[in-house]
PDB file of all heavy atoms in Angstrom:
ATOM      1  N   LYS A 148      13.958 -36.616  23.893  1.00  0.00           N
ATOM      2  CA  LYS A 148      15.284 -36.197  24.362  1.00  0.00           C
ATOM      3  C   LYS A 148      16.376 -36.675  23.405  1.00  0.00           C
ATOM      4  O   LYS A 148      17.334 -35.955  23.132  1.00  0.00           O
ATOM      5  CB  LYS A 148      15.541 -36.750  25.764  1.00  0.00           C
ATOM      6  CG  LYS A 148      14.751 -36.059  26.859  1.00  0.00           C
ATOM      7  CD  LYS A 148      15.167 -36.597  28.214  1.00  0.00           C
ATOM      8  CE  LYS A 148      14.411 -35.893  29.338  1.00  0.00           C
ATOM      9  NZ  LYS A 148      14.796 -36.391  30.672  1.00  0.00           N
ATOM     10  N   ARG A 149      16.197 -37.907  22.914  1.00  0.00           N
ATOM     11  CA  ARG A 149      17.213 -38.453  22.022  1.00  0.00           C
ATOM     12  C   ARG A 149      17.351 -37.593  20.757  1.00  0.00           C
ATOM     13  O   ARG A 149      18.459 -37.297  20.312  1.00  0.00           O
ATOM     14  CB  ARG A 149      16.826 -39.885  21.659  1.00  0.00           C
ATOM     15  CG  ARG A 149      17.805 -40.560  20.722  1.00  0.00           C
ATOM     16  CD  ARG A 149      17.242 -41.901  20.303  1.00  0.00           C
ATOM     17  NE  ARG A 149      18.077 -42.513  19.267  1.00  0.00           N
ATOM     18  CZ  ARG A 149      17.685 -43.539  18.520  1.00  0.00           C
ATOM     19  NH1 ARG A 149      16.478 -44.060  18.698  1.00  0.00           N
ATOM     20  NH2 ARG A 149      18.497 -44.045  17.619  1.00  0.00           N
ATOM     21  N   VAL A 150      16.229 -37.176  20.209  1.00  0.00           N
ATOM     22  CA  VAL A 150      16.250 -36.365  18.988  1.00  0.00           C
ATOM     23  C   VAL A 150      16.859 -34.994  19.275  1.00  0.00           C
ATOM     24  O   VAL A 150      17.700 -34.495  18.517  1.00  0.00           O
ATOM     25  CB  VAL A 150      14.831 -36.219  18.414  1.00  0.00           C
ATOM     26  CG1 VAL A 150      14.820 -35.230  17.251  1.00  0.00           C
ATOM     27  CG2 VAL A 150      14.287 -37.571  17.978  1.00  0.00           C
ATOM     28  N   VAL A 151      16.454 -34.380  20.396  1.00  0.00           N
ATOM     29  CA  VAL A 151      16.956 -33.053  20.727  1.00  0.00           C
ATOM     30  C   VAL A 151      18.455 -33.076  20.988  1.00  0.00           C
ATOM     31  O   VAL A 151      19.194 -32.181  20.544  1.00  0.00           O
ATOM     32  CB  VAL A 151      16.200 -32.469  21.939  1.00  0.00           C
ATOM     33  CG1 VAL A 151      16.835 -31.166  22.392  1.00  0.00           C
ATOM     34  CG2 VAL A 151      14.728 -32.260  21.601  1.00  0.00           C
ATOM     35  N   VAL A 152      18.919 -34.102  21.699  1.00  0.00           N
ATOM     36  CA  VAL A 152      20.356 -34.200  21.977  1.00  0.00           C
ATOM     37  C   VAL A 152      21.144 -34.346  20.678  1.00  0.00           C
ATOM     38  O   VAL A 152      22.168 -33.682  20.470  1.00  0.00           O
ATOM     39  CB  VAL A 152      20.648 -35.389  22.914  1.00  0.00           C
ATOM     40  CG1 VAL A 152      22.146 -35.661  22.975  1.00  0.00           C
ATOM     41  CG2 VAL A 152      20.126 -35.097  24.310  1.00  0.00           C
ATOM     42  N   ALA A 153      20.663 -35.222  19.796  1.00  0.00           N
ATOM     43  CA  ALA A 153      21.379 -35.444  18.545  1.00  0.00           C
ATOM     44  C   ALA A 153      21.409 -34.206  17.662  1.00  0.00           C
ATOM     45  O   ALA A 153      22.383 -33.965  16.942  1.00  0.00           O
ATOM     46  CB  ALA A 153      20.748 -36.612  17.786  1.00  0.00           C
ATOM     47  N   GLU A 154      20.337 -33.418  17.721  1.00  0.00           N
ATOM     48  CA  GLU A 154      20.230 -32.237  16.855  1.00  0.00           C
ATOM     49  C   GLU A 154      20.196 -30.945  17.675  1.00  0.00           C
ATOM     50  O   GLU A 154      19.541 -29.977  17.303  1.00  0.00           O
ATOM     51  CB  GLU A 154      18.959 -32.347  16.003  1.00  0.00           C
ATOM     52  CG  GLU A 154      18.848 -33.603  15.178  1.00  0.00           C
ATOM     53  CD  GLU A 154      19.921 -33.691  14.112  1.00  0.00           C
ATOM     54  OE1 GLU A 154      20.473 -32.632  13.721  1.00  0.00           O
ATOM     55  OE2 GLU A 154      20.226 -34.816  13.658  1.00  0.00           O
ATOM     56  N   LEU A 155      20.932 -30.940  18.802  1.00  0.00           N
ATOM     57  CA  LEU A 155      20.869 -29.791  19.706  1.00  0.00           C
ATOM     58  C   LEU A 155      21.281 -28.473  19.027  1.00  0.00           C
ATOM     59  O   LEU A 155      20.614 -27.448  19.229  1.00  0.00           O
ATOM     60  CB  LEU A 155      21.741 -30.047  20.934  1.00  0.00           C
ATOM     61  CG  LEU A 155      21.607 -29.001  22.063  1.00  0.00           C
ATOM     62  CD1 LEU A 155      20.171 -28.957  22.570  1.00  0.00           C
ATOM     63  CD2 LEU A 155      22.565 -29.324  23.207  1.00  0.00           C
ATOM     64  N   PRO A 156      22.353 -28.434  18.223  1.00  0.00           N
ATOM     65  CA  PRO A 156      22.675 -27.153  17.570  1.00  0.00           C
ATOM     66  C   PRO A 156      21.533 -26.625  16.701  1.00  0.00           C
ATOM     67  O   PRO A 156      21.247 -25.432  16.698  1.00  0.00           O
ATOM     68  CB  PRO A 156      23.916 -27.494  16.732  1.00  0.00           C
ATOM     69  CG  PRO A 156      24.535 -28.664  17.416  1.00  0.00           C
ATOM     70  CD  PRO A 156      23.378 -29.452  17.938  1.00  0.00           C
ATOM     71  N   LEU A 157      20.870 -27.527  15.981  1.00  0.00           N
ATOM     72  CA  LEU A 157      19.747 -27.112  15.130  1.00  0.00           C
ATOM     73  C   LEU A 157      18.579 -26.628  15.976  1.00  0.00           C
ATOM     74  O   LEU A 157      17.971 -25.590  15.674  1.00  0.00           O
ATOM     75  CB  LEU A 157      19.313 -28.284  14.239  1.00  0.00           C
ATOM     76  CG  LEU A 157      18.047 -28.051  13.395  1.00  0.00           C
ATOM     77  CD1 LEU A 157      18.250 -26.894  12.428  1.00  0.00           C
ATOM     78  CD2 LEU A 157      17.687 -29.329  12.632  1.00  0.00           C
ATOM     79  N   PHE A 158      18.281 -27.365  17.069  1.00  0.00           N
ATOM     80  CA  PHE A 158      17.160 -26.972  17.918  1.00  0.00           C
ATOM     81  C   PHE A 158      17.391 -25.590  18.529  1.00  0.00           C
ATOM     82  O   PHE A 158      16.503 -24.734  18.515  1.00  0.00           O
ATOM     83  CB  PHE A 158      16.957 -28.013  19.021  1.00  0.00           C
ATOM     84  CG  PHE A 158      15.762 -27.749  19.887  1.00  0.00           C
ATOM     85  CD1 PHE A 158      14.513 -28.246  19.546  1.00  0.00           C
ATOM     86  CD2 PHE A 158      15.878 -26.992  21.060  1.00  0.00           C
ATOM     87  CE1 PHE A 158      13.406 -28.000  20.352  1.00  0.00           C
ATOM     88  CE2 PHE A 158      14.781 -26.738  21.855  1.00  0.00           C
ATOM     89  CZ  PHE A 158      13.531 -27.244  21.497  1.00  0.00           C
ATOM     90  N   LEU A 159      18.586 -25.381  19.062  1.00  0.00           N
ATOM     91  CA  LEU A 159      18.873 -24.097  19.699  1.00  0.00           C
ATOM     92  C   LEU A 159      18.913 -22.964  18.676  1.00  0.00           C
ATOM     93  O   LEU A 159      18.422 -21.862  18.944  1.00  0.00           O
ATOM     94  CB  LEU A 159      20.210 -24.188  20.440  1.00  0.00           C
ATOM     95  CG  LEU A 159      20.255 -25.139  21.649  1.00  0.00           C
ATOM     96  CD1 LEU A 159      21.654 -25.146  22.255  1.00  0.00           C
ATOM     97  CD2 LEU A 159      19.221 -24.744  22.690  1.00  0.00           C
ATOM     98  N   PHE A 160      19.472 -23.230  17.518  1.00  0.00           N
ATOM     99  CA  PHE A 160      19.546 -22.190  16.488  1.00  0.00           C
ATOM    100  C   PHE A 160      18.158 -21.789  16.009  1.00  0.00           C
ATOM    101  O   PHE A 160      17.848 -20.595  15.877  1.00  0.00           O
ATOM    102  CB  PHE A 160      20.394 -22.695  15.316  1.00  0.00           C
ATOM    103  CG  PHE A 160      20.510 -21.692  14.197  1.00  0.00           C
ATOM    104  CD1 PHE A 160      21.126 -20.462  14.398  1.00  0.00           C
ATOM    105  CD2 PHE A 160      19.988 -21.975  12.945  1.00  0.00           C
ATOM    106  CE1 PHE A 160      21.230 -19.542  13.370  1.00  0.00           C
ATOM    107  CE2 PHE A 160      20.093 -21.054  11.911  1.00  0.00           C
ATOM    108  CZ  PHE A 160      20.712 -19.832  12.122  1.00  0.00           C
ATOM    109  N   ALA A 161      17.299 -22.785  15.754  1.00  0.00           N
ATOM    110  CA  ALA A 161      15.939 -22.484  15.289  1.00  0.00           C
ATOM    111  C   ALA A 161      15.147 -21.752  16.362  1.00  0.00           C
ATOM    112  O   ALA A 161      14.448 -20.770  16.081  1.00  0.00           O
ATOM    113  CB  ALA A 161      15.230 -23.769  14.883  1.00  0.00           C
TER     114      ALA A 161
END
Side-chain angles (χ1 to χ4, degrees):
K148 287 185 179 180
R149 180 187 173 195
V150 173
V151 173
V152 169
E154 304 295 337
L155 188 60
L157 174 61
F158 184 88
L159 294 179
F160 179 63

